[in-house]
Amino acid sequence: MDVNLVLRSTRVITPEGTRPASIAVSGGTIAAVLPYDAEVPAGARLEDVGDDAVLPGLVDTHVHVNDPGRTEWEGFWTATRAAAAGGITTLLDMPLNSLPPTTTVENLRVKQEVARSKAHIDVGFWGGALPDNVKDLRPLHDAGVFGFKCFLSPSGVEEFPELDQEQLATSLAEISGFDGLMIVHAEDPHHLAAAPQRSGGAYADFLASRPRDAENTAIENLINQARRLDARVHVLHLSSSDALPALAAAKAEGVKITVESCPHFLTLTAEEIPDGATEFKCCPPIREASNQDALWQGLADGTIDCIVSDHSPSTADLKTPDFASAWGGISSLQLGLPAIWTEARRRGHTLEDVVRWMSEGPARLAGLTRKGAIEAGRDADFAVLAPDATFTVDPAELQHRNRITAYAGRTLSGVVTSTWLRGERIADRGTLAEPSGRLLERNN
Ligand SMILES: [Zn+2]
């Protein structure tokens, strides 16, 4: 095997732990993880990153790229540059907010065509499950989508209606028939409708309009459906920690359910959100500090499998100071790793934990067997991180299209010094290479 690159560091994070190592790369694949002082093969280039940590490139399975159709909100060019700058080497695009949504094979092809020349990192696609597209699910699965997203309450865009419980059962039965995966925005519409709906700039009013009970009930219903149909399901963006005991019990019982949470739920709290600051608005919402503590416990005990961004930007004009009408969505592609590392470290977690939650876990969720770990046979995708370096978030340095962020002005630990995709450096501090990402399809 011709080794063309050796990446050397005193801190390489492998599935067996962190150690000094030299990673030998051949043709974009990790050929071997060698001892630190291994001889560099003739013809190979040595890149020594010193004491910077080498992580497997992050896998972000929850990104709204909105391209084509709402490209003033985001796009494949800008989103994948932001991702690359943030140490992410693979993203999966959500099926909604683009026009068309990814709900038929024809629409999938449109999106793939748009993404192809713009992808700075590897990109795959989720399909969408709507009330009227059950017949499209199998063809989408065969065309390589990684699974199907559905909503149980209104999605915010009219072309992507939610499923009621009966429609959920029908779609789940269809999807489990080919062992597919359903990923679910779990908020119960009846609990949302019953909650007080007050417009205005007060965050407390917005929080009251999206109660924990809405999440808890939707998740309990989902667990029941998954159990009854023996279906594989995944809970998107868990915010309510009250649902953790039911999720842990379902997992212990063998229900095929996985769970993600997001950097904003794990690093920001309701108590600190200024009134009118709708860059903090998302659904479900950021909750109280005590809720956040419980989410970290859920990560520590394995109830929560992964942390992904739910990067969902919009133009500035849609982020009005009224929480009721402002677009909901937080942009954090470029900042998720340092945001999580800053908080994880404060709570006594290690970079190995972060890798488990942000690389390995999402890769496993998506069935991406070549991603998510530094070991022979996987893609040579790396995030190189200076874990002790700090920076203050300046929106002007963000690569995503609309430089709005809930993290502005925060000082974070962990600077991504370079990002590597299949053995090529695609980001070097703020400098991005030309697009070299590939379009991914589900492996099996
Ligand atoms: Zn989302």
Side-chain angles (χ1 to χ4, degrees), residues 239-268:
S239 173
S240 169
S241 62
D242 295 352
L244 286 167
L247 287 163
K251 285 182 153 195
E253 179 201 330
V255 176
K256 296 169 183 167
I257 191 163
T258 50
V259 186
E260 71 183 34
S261 192
C262 307
H264 37 275
F265 301 135
L266 295 160
T267 67
L268 307 172

Side-chain angles (χ1 to χ4, degrees), residues 16-81:
E16 291 80 40
T18 302
R19 63 176 198 263
S22 289
I23 308 166
V25 175
S26 172
T29 300
I30 299 170
V33 182
L34 303 169
Y36 180 75
D37 52 7
E39 200 178 322
V40 177
R45 183 164 57 97
L46 174 68
E47 283 284 341
D48 190 334
V49 300
D51 293 330
D52 286 358
V54 181
L55 287 61
L58 271 60
V59 177
D60 191 341
T61 52
H62 194 149
V63 182
H64 296 268
V65 182
N66 310 332
D67 192 6
R70 288 193 176 91
T71 48
E72 67 279 18
W73 292 9
E74 191 58 286
F76 283 103
W77 183 270
T78 44
T80 58
R81 281 171 66 88

Side-chain angles (χ1 to χ4, degrees), residues 62-64 94 96 149 151 185 236-237 310-312:
H62 194 149
V63 182
H64 296 268
M94 279 294 166
L96 74 158
K149 179 178 195 179
F151 279 75
H185 180 122
L236 297 163
H237 45 49
D310 193 10
H311 180 79
S312 187

Side-chain angles (χ1 to χ4, degrees), residues 28-275:
T29 300
I30 299 170
V33 182
L34 303 169
Y36 180 75
D37 52 7
E39 200 178 322
V40 177
R45 183 164 57 97
L46 174 68
E47 283 284 341
D48 190 334
V49 300
D51 293 330
D52 286 358
V54 181
L55 287 61
L58 271 60
V59 177
D60 191 341
T61 52
H62 194 149
V63 182
H64 296 268
V65 182
N66 310 332
D67 192 6
R70 288 193 176 91
T71 48
E72 67 279 18
W73 292 9
E74 191 58 286
F76 283 103
W77 183 270
T78 44
T80 58
R81 281 171 66 88
I88 298 163
T89 50
T90 305
L91 72 75
L92 297 193
D93 175 55
M94 279 294 166
L96 74 158
N97 299 350
S98 59
L99 296 168
T102 318
T103 48
T104 66
V105 171
E106 195 186 348
N107 292 357
L108 171 67
R109 297 301 178 217
V110 170
K111 297 199 64 172
Q112 287 172 323
E113 244 0 271
V114 168
R116 197 175 302 279
S117 61
K118 300 180 187 169
H120 291 73
I121 64 167
D122 286 358
V123 171
F125 296 87
W126 295 107
L130 305 182
D132 65 355
N133 81 332
V134 177
K135 66 178 187 328
D136 295 298
L137 301 178
R138 177 87 208 211
L140 276 165
H141 175 78
D142 292 340
V145 299
F146 287 80
F148 300 91
K149 179 178 195 179
C150 73
F151 279 75
L152 304 178
S153 53
S155 73
V157 292
E158 63 178 15
E159 69 277 6
F160 205 96
E162 72 274 24
L163 305 182
D164 63 26
Q165 287 296 315
E166 202 174 319
Q167 291 161 339
L168 173 65
T170 304
S171 295
L172 267 184
E174 173 73 9
I175 291 167
S176 66
F178 48 79
D179 197 30
L181 173 66
M182 180 77 104
I183 63 174
V184 182
H185 180 122
E187 285 184 289
D188 179 75
H190 310 293
H191 283 77
L192 294 180
Q197 303 294 330
R198 249 184 238 114
S199 60
Y203 188 76
D205 287 343
F206 171 62
L207 187 54
S209 76
R210 313 290 300 202
R212 296 184 192 209
D213 270 356
E215 279 191 88
N216 305 340
T217 300
I219 289 169
E220 274 168 35
N221 289 338
L222 182 65
I223 290 169
N224 289 336
Q225 296 247 33
R227 181 193 293 116
R228 189 169 62 80
L229 294 162
D230 196 29
R232 293 200 295 133
V233 300
H234 175 73
V235 176
L236 297 163
H237 45 49
L238 179 72
S239 173
S240 169
S241 62
D242 295 352
L244 286 167
L247 287 163
K251 285 182 153 195
E253 179 201 330
V255 176
K256 296 169 183 167
I257 191 163
T258 50
V259 186
E260 71 183 34
S261 192
C262 307
H264 37 275
F265 301 135
L266 295 160
T267 67
L268 307 172
T269 60
E271 290 89 335
E272 66 192 328
I273 299 177
D275 286 349

